[in-house]
Amino acid sequence: MATTTMARIALERDDPAAARRAEFDAFYANNVRQITAQIRAYTGDLAEAEDLVADAFTKAFVRWKTISEYDNPAVWVRRVAWNLATSRLRRGAFARRFLRRQRARDVAGPAPDRIDLERALANLKERHRKAIILRYMADMTVQEIADQEGVAESTVRSWITRGRAVLAEHLRIDDDPTEE
């Protein structure tokens, strides 16, 4: 033991940073298992406890010059690990409550007519599809669509006419609503 103490004193004189690292390494080796066991008991998960304790020891290493002067540096590391665990558990509880509220509700799927319409719309050129959707689904006027797209009203009417023709072909819809 006296040889180890003398070696440590010599090391401190020659390389104080190396001496602090060696001191921290010994502190870590003497305390990591016990603190990990305590945090594991708190969280119920060994891997999570190991992560939290590693974070706490990392914080201690960064501040080791100050923390090493404490009466019992392990108390500081344990408190930090415990606080980290508490924060993580709270975040987890919050996330679980949020996800519980966000569960997908059983909703009826789209009707076959809707599926047919979506497939037919997918066959339209982009500008025709957009004009049809804006006119018939968004209830925009031809003027509003023309203003939004920066084109003439006649262009929008042409897009709608061409789009309706393709839709009628794909959906086998009679284009004249007055005929029965």
Side-chain angles (χ1 to χ4, degrees):
M1 180 90 169
T3 308
T4 306
T5 305
M6 291 179 66
R8 195 175 117 220
I9 292 170
L11 184 59
E12 285 178 2
R13 260 187 281 136
D14 295 338
D15 189 355
R20 288 211 182 277
R21 280 193 301 274
E23 182 183 12
F24 181 82
D25 289 347
F27 166 73
Y28 177 86
N30 290 330
N31 292 283
V32 68
R33 281 190 177 155
Q34 182 182 22
I35 295 173
T36 301
Q38 293 163 3
I39 300 302
R40 179 186 183 191
Y42 182 52
T43 63
D45 184 328
L46 177 61
E48 188 171 4
E50 289 172 339
D51 288 346
L52 294 165
V53 171
D55 286 349
F57 272 104
T58 300
K59 292 174 187 300
F61 182 73
V62 171
R63 298 169 181 83
W64 186 243
K65 187 174 183 177
T66 303
I67 294 170
S68 66
E69 300 298 321
Y70 293 173
D71 289 337
N72 188 352
V75 170
W76 188 92
V77 173
R78 184 179 302 107
R79 172 53 54 199
V80 169
W82 202 274
N83 289 344
L84 291 169
T86 300
S87 294
R88 193 170 289 182
L89 289 171
R90 284 182 185 151
R91 280 192 308 273
F94 175 79
R96 284 188 299 279
R97 283 191 308 272
F98 176 78
L99 291 173
R100 220 177 359 259
R101 288 191 309 265
Q102 302 305 316
R103 281 200 183 134
R105 304 286 190 257
D106 289 335
V107 201
D113 291 348
R114 175 67 184 235
I115 294 171
D116 291 342
L117 176 60
E118 288 176 359
R119 286 182 181 152
L121 283 169
N123 290 311
L124 299 179
K125 290 182 179 178
E126 185 178 341
R127 61 181 177 250
H128 298 164
R129 180 173 52 245
K130 189 172 188 179
I132 293 286
I133 290 169
L134 293 176
R135 178 69 184 103
Y136 297 106
M137 296 176 91
D139 289 325
M140 292 175 68
T141 66
V142 170
Q143 174 67 49
E144 291 170 331
I145 298 169
D147 291 344
Q148 176 180 310
E149 298 302 308
V151 297
E153 287 182 50
S154 59
T155 302
V156 173
R157 280 193 292 276
S158 170
W159 291 346
I160 292 171
T161 300
R162 290 179 183 164
R164 285 181 58 178
V166 173
L167 284 177
E169 180 181 314
H170 284 285
L171 296 173
R172 294 186 181 92
I173 296 175
D174 188 4
D175 202 25
D176 187 1
T178 58
E179 290 184 19
E180 292 205 308

